[in-house]
């Protein structure tokens, strides 16, 4: 019997060959389970960290996902409020010609232009204020067609409406407090107001109803009454 044969094994259980049995340490299942749990937790933590980084660089989840489309206080509600506010501002009507007072001044050496222009504007429904020679600041100093002068707040109101009557006029602002008052200063290149049809079409495109002459100025269909002999006409003035 070989010296390597364990006691009690006898002849039947001999160990032959050059390889010898080795004793392995029994596997620890608890360690295996713990390692598996630790690996799973590590992968989960890495995935969560990646998701957070994506949110940081992409601005996070959209408002629609967070609150739902059209949710109260969400982006949809804010956009609706902004659109409603914009529509309210855009819907502000422009003044009608009958709401605007036009002061007509002649800055040219030609006489009678202020009166002729004022009468034409009156026939188009505008109210006429002062009519006369231009103040010294503009007298004989306006080379273009003319100037339209009004309050800064009238830029998108009365000045736009009066601008349809004098194409090519320059628009300026002063510190007057009345929005519905405009000074029309006639310049050296002025010949006549914009044609009535073109001016009315421009007003209609702006959503403004073209004006008409006051009823008191409308021609009467009644036969004229006899009158006295006409008096001598006054001497023409520069205006």
């Amino acid at each position: 019997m070989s010296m390597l044969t364990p006691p009690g094994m006898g002849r039947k259980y001999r160990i032959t060959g050059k390889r010898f049995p080795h004793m392995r340490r029994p596997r620890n299942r608890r360690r295996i389970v713990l390692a598996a749990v630790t690996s799973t937790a590590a992968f989960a933590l890495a995935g969560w960290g990646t998701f957070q980084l994506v949110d940081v660089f992409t601005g996070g989840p959209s408002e629609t996902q967070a609150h739902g489309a059209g949710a109260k206080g969400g982006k949809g509600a804010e956009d609706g409020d902004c659109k409603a506010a914009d529509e309210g501002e855009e819907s502000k009507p422009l003044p009608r010609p009958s709401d605007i007072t036009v002061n007509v001044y002649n800055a040219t050496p030609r006489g009678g232009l202020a009166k002729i222009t004022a009468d034409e504007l009156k026939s188009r429904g505008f109210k006429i204020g002062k009519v006369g020679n231009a103040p010294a600041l503009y007298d004989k100093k306006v080379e273009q067609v003319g100037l339209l002068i009004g309050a800064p707040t009238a830029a998108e109101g009365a000045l736009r409406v009066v601008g349809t009557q004098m194409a090519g006029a320059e628009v300026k602002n002063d510190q007057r407090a009345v929005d519905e008052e405009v000074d029309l200063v006639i310049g050296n290149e002025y010949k006549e107001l914009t044609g009535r049809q073109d001016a009315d079409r421009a007003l209609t495109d702006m959503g403004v109803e073209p004006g008409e002459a006051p009823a008191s100025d409308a021609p009467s269909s009644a036969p004229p009454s006899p009158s006295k002999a006409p008096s001598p006409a006054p001497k023409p003035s520069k205006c």
Side-chain angles (χ1 to χ4, degrees):
M1 183 173 61
S2 173
M3 294 179 64
L4 297 176
T5 303
M9 294 187 69
R11 298 177 181 177
K12 189 176 181 179
Y13 300 99
R14 289 184 179 181
I15 298 176
T16 61
K18 297 180 180 180
R19 301 185 65 180
F20 301 97
H22 296 277
M23 301 298 290
R24 286 188 178 181
R25 296 180 61 184
R27 295 182 179 179
N28 193 332
R29 293 184 178 180
R30 183 178 299 176
R31 290 185 178 181
I32 296 174
V33 173
L34 181 60
V37 172
T38 303
S39 300
T40 304
F43 280 117
L45 184 61
W48 180 81
T50 303
F51 180 76
Q52 294 297 321
L53 289 175
V54 170
D55 282 350
V56 168
F57 288 104
T58 59
S62 64
E63 293 291 338
T64 303
Q65 294 174 349
H67 303 287
K72 184 177 181 180
K75 186 175 181 180
E78 293 177 359
D79 291 345
D81 293 342
C82 292
K83 290 180 180 179
D86 293 341
E87 290 176 358
E89 293 178 359
E90 292 178 359
S91 62
K92 184 179 179 181
L94 292 168
R96 298 172 298 179
S98 58
D99 297 329
I100 302 173
T101 299
V102 183
N103 302 315
V104 185
Y105 299 109
N106 183 10
T108 75
R110 295 173 287 169
L113 287 181
K115 179 66 169 59
I116 294 172
T117 304
D119 289 344
E120 179 61 25
L121 289 172
K122 186 176 182 180
S123 71
R124 300 183 183 190
F126 292 90
K127 292 191 294 186
I128 302 302
K130 299 177 182 178
V131 179
N133 298 328
L137 179 63
Y138 300 111
D139 192 24
K140 298 180 181 65
K141 299 175 183 178
V142 181
E143 298 299 330
Q144 62 268 37
V145 173
L147 296 176
L148 297 177
I149 308 171
T153 51
E156 295 299 323
L159 285 170
R160 283 187 62 192
V161 175
V162 179
T164 60
Q165 312 299 309
M166 180 182 273
E170 180 182 347
V171 177
K172 298 184 67 175
N173 299 122
D174 58 13
Q175 299 303 317
R176 72 185 67 197
V178 182
D179 292 346
E180 283 75 29
E181 181 182 270
V182 174
D183 291 350
L184 187 152
V185 182
I186 300 172
N188 290 332
E189 295 184 4
Y190 175 80
K191 295 181 179 179
E192 60 182 5
L193 293 174
T194 303
R196 179 70 178 267
Q197 291 183 351
D198 293 337
D200 288 351
R201 187 180 303 110
L203 288 174
T204 303
D205 292 342
M206 293 165 52
V208 179
E209 183 179 355
E212 297 180 357
S216 58
D217 295 341
S220 174
S221 59
S225 57
S227 59
K228 298 179 181 179
S231 57
K235 296 181 179 180
S237 62
K238 177 183 176 182
C239 298

